[in-house]
Amino acid sequence: MKVLEFAFHTVELPLVTSFTTSFSTQTERRVLILELTAEVDGALVIGWGECGALTEPVYLSEYLDGVLDVTTEHLLPRLVAASASDELTAESVAALLGRVVGHRMAKAAIEMAVLDAQLRAAGISFKSYLGVTRDRVPSGVSVGIQDSIPALLDTVDRYLSEGYQRIKLKIRPGWDIEPVRAVREAHPNVPLQVDANTAYTLADAEHLSQLDAFDLLLIEQPLGAEDMRQHALLARRMRTRMCLDESVVSVASAEDAIAWGAAAIINIKPSRVGGYLEARRIHDVALAHGTPVWCGGMLETGIGRAANAALAGMPGFTITGDISASGRFYKHDITDPFELVDGHILIPDVPGLAAQPRRQRLAESTLSTMRIAF
Ligand code: OSB
Ligand code: MG
């Protein structure tokens, strides 16, 4: 394809309730939405991408303003030649950007917009591009740290009554054993897991082992992103299965995590690993090793949520992911909302990878737009 323009919309959506993790409290989601205008076989086509980066570098090192900078200064210039000679494809983006070290969320957003445009032009859904046969995926919900245990129990009750099939509790030192115990006692049979977002060290092994009493599906990223060996050691001291999020940023790190026993389960987030194509490769490697995977989230708008739902339809995604209804985070999404259907999210089967935003909603929630002409 030939790129005509990339537009970067900085969008801000208020959250229906604040979302507290071990690293921050968010009351709104400021998110970068990419709109790519391209020419494919003489026809104009639009592709949409969404960047997973948060405003602060507190989950991973990337952050929204940094993504804008690296994208305009270092990434887009590397696509110009391929675009001019009409050779740009989604499958070539990662190699063209390969000289730039890291910045996977920025790269993922670009690849996503190119892939969306490519699939729209070809009239192919992301679902069929991936060979997915399921028409829906079960929906789980990530529950932030609450002010009190009664508030937590109310929140969990509400999500369960909406149909969510699996509860993930955010934990941190001071908010771990007792809240998890309370939820488990109230709901003896609910699929339950916890996510610490790197808040502990190996010195907490004995403390964390108390979670073994609660029949959890998994514990997600208790230790630092670079603590692969420590995760392997902790895994040997806990009965609860170890799952990695922040530590797995590529196929290579997924292979290390599996081989070293640092992860029995992997959370795949396309944005964290540099895009949907690398996410698919991690899925394939994990499936070959018999390591279950599930699809994580970054409070996606409907744009990313649509693509995540299709990815999570692949056969290795045997654990319920964080693909909740749009209403979990947003009263008014920028796309048509994803609703729960019997505890599931339906996988879109329309051309393209992303859901299209509604122009009016996009305009209403856009703080600024930067346009780069090719
Ligand atoms: O660790 O999975 C995480 C949100 C932002 C950053 C990191 C994480 C999360 C979530 C929310 O848990 C998942 C979602 O989008 O539903
Ligand atoms: Mg996580």
Side-chain angles (χ1 to χ4, degrees):
M1 75 178 65
K2 272 198 170 73
V3 177
L4 303 177
E5 184 192 83
F6 265 100
F8 296 87
H9 306 286
T10 301
V11 164
E12 190 168 277
L13 297 173
L15 300 184
V16 290
T17 54
S18 66
F19 184 57
T20 299
T21 62
S22 65
F23 60 80
S24 76
T25 295
Q26 280 179 269
T27 54
E28 68 272 311
R29 171 69 164 131
R30 190 176 289 192
V31 57
L32 202 59
I33 300 296
L34 276 61
E35 178 184 7
L36 161 67
T37 309
E39 196 185 297
V40 182
D41 300 328
L44 269 191
V45 56
I46 306 273
W48 295 95
E50 173 168 348
C51 185
L54 305 176
T55 50
E56 294 183 295
V58 288
Y59 162 64
L60 298 176
S61 64
E62 290 182 86
Y63 62 102
L64 198 146
D65 288 344
V67 167
L68 271 175
D69 185 73
V70 77
T71 302
T72 53
E73 298 298 318
H74 302 284
L75 298 178
L76 293 188
R78 289 167 196 272
L79 300 184
V80 170
S83 167
S85 59
D86 206 4
E87 283 163 1
L88 182 64
T89 62
E91 293 78 7
S92 67
V93 168
L96 291 168
L97 303 180
R99 268 294 155 230
V100 173
V101 176
H103 294 284
R104 293 183 173 89
M105 288 181 153
K107 292 172 178 175
I110 294 172
E111 184 193 81
M112 181 178 180
V114 173
L115 184 54
D116 186 43
Q118 183 173 312
L119 294 179
R120 278 181 207 272
I124 299 170
S125 69
F126 190 39
K127 175 178 185 248
S128 52
Y129 175 84
L130 294 172
V132 165
T133 52
R134 283 193 257 176
D135 73 341
R136 63 192 62 198
V137 292
S139 181
V141 60
S142 176
V143 181
I145 292 164
Q146 311 283 310
D147 291 338
S148 67
I149 288 180
L152 173 66
L153 292 173
D154 281 354
T155 302
V156 168
D157 281 351
R158 184 161 48 79
Y159 288 137
L160 290 174
S161 70
E162 289 173 20
Y164 287 106
Q165 303 205 22
R166 183 231 65 188
I167 299 288
K168 161 168 140 181
L169 301 179
K170 291 289 191 180
I171 59 169
R172 68 175 170 206
W175 181 265
D176 46 25
I177 313 302
E178 292 317 314
V180 176
R181 184 197 311 282
V183 172
R184 177 47 87 213
E185 281 176 1
H187 303 285
N189 300 315
V190 159
L192 190 62
Q193 64 192 57
V194 294
D195 184 4
N197 289 109
T198 76
Y200 297 88
T201 72
L202 195 52
D204 299 309
E206 209 165 303
H207 176 73
L208 290 171
S209 295
Q210 296 174 77
L211 293 170
D212 284 343
F214 307 129
D215 190 24
L216 302 179
L217 289 170
L218 57 89
I219 178 170
E220 181 180 352
Q221 197 73 41
L223 312 180
E226 295 175 13
D227 295 346
M228 196 78 98
R229 187 179 65 91
Q230 287 92 326
H231 275 107
L233 295 172
L234 180 60
R236 288 195 235 149
R237 295 181 56 179
M238 292 186 72
R239 202 158 49 83
T240 307
R241 288 185 298 174
M242 196 59 59
C243 171
L244 293 183
D245 173 349
E246 285 89 332
S247 295
V248 174
V249 295
S250 59
V251 168
S253 51
E255 285 176 327
D256 288 350
I258 294 168
W260 297 341
I265 296 170
I266 295 174
N267 165 341
I268 297 183
K269 279 185 199 171
S271 58
R272 193 190 67 229
V273 304
Y276 284 90
L277 301 183
E278 185 78 354
R280 178 175 61 176
R281 286 189 285 271
I282 294 174
H283 160 273
D284 295 347
V285 162
L287 187 60
H289 283 89
T291 302
V293 301
W294 55 280
C295 186
M298 289 301 296
L299 304 89
E300 278 84 357
T301 71
I303 293 178
R305 205 165 289 279
N308 285 351
L311 179 73
M314 296 192 77
F317 285 84
T318 52
I319 296 185
T320 301
D322 284 344
I323 306 174
S324 41
S326 306
R328 153 71 183 88
F329 290 114
Y330 307 116
K331 186 152 188 267
H332 300 294
D333 203 338
I334 54 173
T335 65
D336 289 337
F338 281 85
E339 315 268 9
L340 280 194
V341 178
D342 229 352
H344 290 76
I345 296 290
L346 303 184
I347 302 173
D349 198 11
V350 294
L353 152 141
Q356 225 160 327
R358 289 197 250 151
R359 285 286 169 189
Q360 175 71 16
R361 280 296 304 138
L362 182 64
E364 284 165 4
S365 43
T366 295
L367 299 178
S368 60
T369 296
M370 188 175 67
R371 297 180 187 278
I372 310 280
F374 263 54

